[in-house]
């Protein structure tokens, strides 16, 4: 059973949709591997001009890592390696990316969102970076780029929930849409970008990333989070009830 879907429309907009709504799209090993596979496909497809990441549940883009996934120590490290690779691949993706941020966008889900270039918030957005609460050393590399050092400290050190209006004010998202229309609004934004010459758009993104240094920072942070999983306490495990 697949946990994601992938399609490309006539405008060159690829849609990667998370489809594990029974778990609020919490990302387990299988879902991470599928997402990475879709990214590889989109990267190599010249017909793809923009990539949109969304979900089939407007109540959650993703609730983060599936902490109920039963894994041994090696499996937990491997899953963290997949998370780090996913964030890095999104940051370094050569084409523009858009995240449809409806409902719960928490932990790993929030990291996926901020690894994208553009974000549309649903009116029901609840974005949260729980690294301080859980002890996970992840978040600064991409969040500082997005909203600045002061705001990144505020979000990461408090682990607070952020709604749509505050996210727009802080620069976390670029547009707000009704919850059920978040994906549609994201596809519309992607189509606006896809209408421009792809070579020019790709060049601009590459220049912005190079001058900002976010690709290197993301990779460095990823190595740290994998080491934390390998030799530190790692992500907590919650038994299924």
């Amino acid at each position: 059973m697949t946990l994601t879907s992938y399609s490309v429309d006539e405008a060159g907009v690829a849609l990667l949709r998370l489809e594990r709504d029974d778990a609020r799209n919490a990302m387990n090993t299988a879902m991470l591997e599928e997402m990475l596979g879709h990214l590889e496909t989109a990267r190599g497809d010249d017909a793809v001009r923009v990539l949109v990441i969304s979900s089939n549940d407007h109540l959650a883009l993703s609730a983060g890592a599936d902490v109920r996934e039963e894994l041994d120590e090696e499996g937990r490290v491997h899953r963290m390696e997949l998370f780090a690779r996913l964030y890095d691949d999104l940051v370094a993706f050569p084409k523009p990316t858009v995240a449809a941020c409806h409902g719960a966008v928490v932990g790993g889900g929030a990291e996926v969102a901020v690894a994208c270039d553009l974000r549309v918030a649903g009116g029901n957005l609840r974005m949260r970076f729980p690294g301080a609460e859980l002890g996970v050393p992840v978040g600064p590399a991409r969040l500082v780029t997005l909203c600045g050092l002061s705001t990144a400290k505020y979000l990461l050190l408090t682990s607070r929930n952020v709604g749509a209006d505050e996210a727009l004010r802080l620069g976390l998202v670029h547009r707000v849409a009704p919850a059920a229309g978040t994906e549609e609004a994201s596809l519309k934004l992607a189509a606006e970008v896809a209408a421009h010459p792809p070579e020019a758009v790709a060049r601009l993104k590459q220049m912005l990333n190079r001058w900002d240094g976010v690709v290197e920072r993301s990779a460095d942070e990823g190595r740290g989070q994998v080491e934390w999983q390998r030799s530190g306490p790692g992500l907590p495990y919650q038994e299924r009830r």
Side-chain angles (χ1 to χ4, degrees):
M1 184 176 104
T2 58
L3 303 174
T4 62
S5 65
Y6 176 82
S7 61
V8 184
D9 68 14
E10 294 181 354
V13 176
L15 175 61
L16 195 174
R17 187 185 282 140
L18 310 186
E19 298 188 342
R20 198 185 177 210
D21 51 306
D22 59 331
R24 285 287 184 266
N25 290 307
M27 291 177 280
N28 59 12
T29 301
M31 178 179 274
L32 291 166
E33 289 173 341
E34 287 184 26
M35 293 175 72
L36 286 164
H38 294 316
L39 286 179
E40 184 176 356
T41 298
R43 185 185 301 109
D45 186 351
D46 290 339
V48 174
R49 294 188 169 202
V50 183
L51 173 69
V52 174
I53 297 182
S54 184
S55 73
N56 64 343
D57 178 11
H58 72 266
L59 297 179
L61 172 62
S62 174
D66 181 3
V67 294
R68 292 184 171 87
E69 183 179 15
E70 295 183 7
L71 297 168
D72 59 17
E73 184 176 346
E74 182 179 348
R76 288 192 289 271
V77 171
H78 175 61
R79 184 181 61 184
M80 188 61 82
E81 289 173 338
L82 293 176
F83 269 113
R85 181 181 159 197
L86 177 62
Y87 305 152
D88 288 348
D89 282 8
L90 276 171
V91 169
F93 196 72
K95 307 166 187 182
T97 52
V98 181
C101 302
H102 36 210
V105 184
V106 179
E111 294 299 338
V112 165
V114 300
C116 291
D117 300 309
L118 305 172
R119 282 154 298 283
V120 175
N124 64 342
L125 174 69
R126 290 180 293 108
M127 181 178 282
R128 185 165 175 258
F129 300 86
E133 179 182 329
L134 301 177
V136 187
V138 63
R142 293 164 292 276
L143 203 52
V144 167
T145 285
L146 185 61
C147 58
L149 180 61
S150 178
T151 298
K153 288 180 177 179
Y154 174 60
L155 297 172
L156 291 170
L157 300 182
T158 63
S159 296
R160 69 190 308 278
N161 277 305
V162 177
D165 291 341
E166 184 177 13
L168 184 64
R169 178 173 58 81
L170 295 176
L172 292 171
V173 300
H174 302 93
R175 298 180 182 177
V176 176
T182 312
E183 180 178 289
E184 181 181 357
S186 299
L187 291 169
K188 181 179 179 180
L189 176 58
E192 293 177 24
V193 177
H196 300 310
E199 297 83 3
V201 170
R203 187 179 302 113
L204 284 170
K205 176 173 178 175
Q206 183 183 53
M207 292 167 64
L208 289 164
N209 280 354
R210 183 174 70 249
W211 291 338
D212 180 74
V214 65
V215 173
E216 292 75 19
R217 288 203 309 275
S218 181
D220 185 61
E221 181 176 279
R223 288 188 289 270
Q225 73 186 76
V226 171
E227 183 56 34
W228 173 80
Q229 181 68 57
R230 180 180 290 114
S231 59
L235 283 174
Y237 168 72
Q238 296 180 6
E239 293 185 2
R240 298 183 186 276
R241 296 181 180 178

